[in-house]
Structures are given as C-alpha cells and as structure tokens.
Amino acid sequence: MTKPIKRLYRSRKDRVLGGVCGGIAQYLEVDPVVVRLMWAIGTLISMGVGLLAYIIAWVIIPEEPKR
C-alpha cells in the first residue's frame, strides 16, 4: 500500500501574514511559532533575504484547499 503524497500549502488557520510559516509548520508537523522564530532569525542574519524568500514563497506555495 502506498502512502498519500504529502503536499505543502499555505495555512488558512495558522496565518499571521500570508500563511507561509503556518503551512511549513503543518508540513513539518511542528509548532508554527518555531518556524516563525527561525524565519525571523534567518531574516535578521541574512540582512533581509528572508523577507524576499517569504514573498516568493507566498506567491509560489498554493493556499490550503477548503475542506
């Protein structure tokens, strides 16, 4: 029996701005706060590149389908 394919979506319920970090957290099965904190630290360390990456992810990652 094959496992269903796990898909990455932007979250509809765990969103602060675009749902990117919430969706990544759901995909990785971790708390969204951890992902947001890591993204913020990465953005500060990379002098803002994380912000550009977030915007790109917001555009590329589809929104979670309605259930």
Side-chain angles (χ1 to χ4, degrees), residues 8-21:
L8 175 61
Y9 293 109
R10 289 185 290 125
S11 177
R12 286 183 177 271
K13 67 174 187 141
D14 288 326
R15 69 178 358 169
V16 172
L17 188 60
V20 174
C21 291

Side-chain angles (χ1 to χ4, degrees), residues 6-54:
K6 197 173 183 183
R7 301 285 315 251
L8 175 61
Y9 293 109
R10 289 185 290 125
S11 177
R12 286 183 177 271
K13 67 174 187 141
D14 288 326
R15 69 178 358 169
V16 172
L17 188 60
V20 174
C21 291
I24 292 171
Q26 285 177 354
Y27 184 81
L28 297 175
E29 298 177 356
V30 296
D31 187 6
V33 174
V34 174
V35 176
R36 289 183 188 110
L37 184 61
M38 296 304 290
W39 201 294
I41 291 170
T43 298
L44 292 173
I45 290 173
S46 68
M47 292 183 260
V49 176
L51 181 61
L52 179 62
Y54 189 91

